[in-house]
Amino acid sequence: MGLVSSSALIPHPSLTIIGAGPGGYEAALVAANQGSEVTIVERDGIGGSAVLTDVVPSKTLIAAADGRRRVMKSTSLGIELDSNAVFSNLNEVDQRIIQLASEQSEDIRHKLQKAGVRIVIGQARFREPRVLEVETISGKTETITSDAVLIATGASPRELPTAQPDGERIFNWKQLYRLRELPEHMIVVGSGVTGAEFASAYNLLGAKVSLVSSRDQVLPNEDPDAARVLENVFIENGVNVVSRTRANAVTRTEHGVAVELSTGEVLEGSHCLLAVGGIPNTQHLGLDEVGVATTESGHIRVDAVSRTSVEGIYAAGDCTGRLALASVAAMQGRIAVNHLIGDEVKPFNPFRVSSNIFTSPEIATVGVAAQQADRTKYQYDEVILDLTTNPRAKMMNVEHGFVKLFARKGSNSVVGGIVVAPRASELIYPISLAVAKRLQVDDLANTFTVYPSLSGSLAEAARLLHVRSSDLNPVPEDV
């Protein structure tokens, strides 16, 4: 693909953004604050699926599940409960989820309006590279012309022809939040990040859970040590992990669902969640007509500064096929605006992306991951430190988790890390900072940590990777 450079700089270029998710609204705020005239076209709701049906709702559900987990585990800390049963009121949980998602959407709308961003609710389609035709919610057609366009339309759940969601017993990940009662037996199809997170959440809320995985282990694309810990936790908690098999079909029964597996076995449950990936929302934008290049999967091809194959058209987020993270979408959107307005641009670098899987325990990663690293390209040392040796972890009754650090041979700079622990999403930050700033392990090791703290294990792991300075920088023989 021939990705093109931007046109001659315009002092305050006007920008139209298709999609009000993280990639869209973050870009809109940056552009508006820099003096550009910005219009956002959104067909569903401000915040996109990340706020309304995906990230915010799922993590709110997970927070409720973690609350129950902490109560159930409190007996091991000497806290006595009047009853051994702690019930989940899923109706109230889901109402809170919907309320929080709505409030977050309104917060974003307020920020956009305060910044002077014009919001149009409707479906956009390209007529020309910088001309959009929008079918508004009122049924009118509006033509919007601007100096540049940013596509940030996200993705939708992938569906199987033999397993169609109905929103009652068979769900995709957008349909789960109007349940009145906790599922008696939730069958989750797909053991990637989404499937693992929901399996963990419903298990901790008190439902019986079966997890169908086509691979040898859950989280097949993640660090094997981390995946092994999570699978062991699942099994300890009673999750029925069905490995090395696929779901051929899902059908309704009189009182629930039947999942036909590739082994010939049939799993019966009360509900089924399909977590089998996503497809980009690029089908009805008229990309072919204006020459925007896409992949076979329909994702928009972009370069490291979010440019597409057409000058003046950028793209960000899940529709580009990069890492499907809200933080990545937001970063791509900001990069696109900075490139458009001629500000300093730091190209997108997936190596520096920190990510988190919100299971229990959480799994956070950044930089080199053990199963992805090519040791012919990345010559590195690694160390893994079990959290059961951490005094704070013992006090908190943390039973599973570890810290893993990677350091490049020769320079001893930090090139990656993995944290499996409660709140790993918070603990990964110092490692992410070390990777971004190319710090050495000694920079981590020699920085004070609170005692006792889980972060103390980060410094301890760094100390285990220490290399004497004389070995890093040999003294010349004539000195």
Side-chain angles (χ1 to χ4, degrees), residues 61-77:
L61 178 74
I62 289 165
D66 189 60
R68 183 176 183 272
R69 176 193 65 81
R70 286 184 279 115
V71 172
M72 296 293 287
K73 289 286 186 178
S74 64
T75 55
S76 61
L77 302 176

Side-chain angles (χ1 to χ4, degrees), residues 205-225:
L205 285 168
K208 179 181 179 181
V209 174
S210 292
L211 179 62
V212 179
S213 172
S214 63
R215 308 288 281 275
D216 292 338
Q217 64 178 30
V218 301
L219 299 176
N221 297 319
E222 302 300 324
D223 175 74
D225 292 327

Side-chain angles (χ1 to χ4, degrees), residues 238-274:
V239 175
N240 176 31
V241 180
V242 185
S243 302
R244 296 180 292 279
T245 186
R246 296 179 180 275
N248 286 342
V250 182
T251 55
R252 289 281 297 266
T253 63
E254 184 179 357
H255 300 293
V257 296
V259 180
E260 178 187 324
L261 303 178
S262 56
T263 59
E265 180 186 1
V266 175
L267 275 178
E268 294 190 354
S270 61
H271 300 77
C272 179
L273 167 64
L274 299 167

Side-chain angles (χ1 to χ4, degrees), residues 79-196:
I79 306 299
E80 295 184 2
L81 304 176
D82 289 337
S83 171
N84 290 327
V86 179
F87 298 102
S88 302
N89 186 329
L90 197 64
N91 184 40
E92 290 191 10
V93 170
D94 283 350
Q95 286 183 9
R96 179 171 182 264
I97 288 171
I98 294 170
Q99 179 182 348
L100 285 179
S102 177
E103 289 175 354
Q104 182 66 13
S105 177
E106 284 304 306
D107 286 347
I108 296 168
R109 179 190 294 275
H110 177 72
K111 286 182 181 180
L112 291 171
Q113 291 175 335
K114 185 177 180 180
V117 176
R118 179 173 177 250
I119 299 171
V120 178
I121 303 300
Q123 173 69 51
R125 182 180 179 86
F126 281 97
R127 283 181 50 189
E128 298 177 25
R130 296 182 186 86
V131 180
L132 294 173
E133 186 175 87
V134 180
E135 294 292 333
T136 68
I137 193 172
S138 62
K140 297 180 180 179
T141 300
E142 179 178 344
T143 300
I144 302 175
T145 301
S146 55
D147 297 314
V149 176
L150 171 66
I151 306 167
T153 49
S156 297
R158 188 167 73 89
E159 298 180 355
L160 304 176
T162 56
Q164 290 296 303
D166 59 18
E168 295 178 354
R169 292 285 181 174
I170 305 172
F171 303 95
N172 60 39
W173 42 257
K174 298 176 74 171
Q175 300 172 322
L176 281 168
Y177 306 111
R178 297 190 183 276
L179 289 171
R180 294 290 180 263
E181 296 179 350
L182 187 70
E184 179 183 343
H185 180 189
M186 174 68 82
I187 301 174
V188 180
V189 176
S191 64
V193 173
T194 301

Side-chain angles (χ1 to χ4, degrees), residues 23-43:
Y25 71 73
E26 287 279 354
L29 291 172
V30 173
N33 289 332
Q34 291 297 321
S36 292
E37 179 183 327
V38 183
T39 299
I40 276 190
V41 180
E42 168 59 49
R43 66 180 183 182

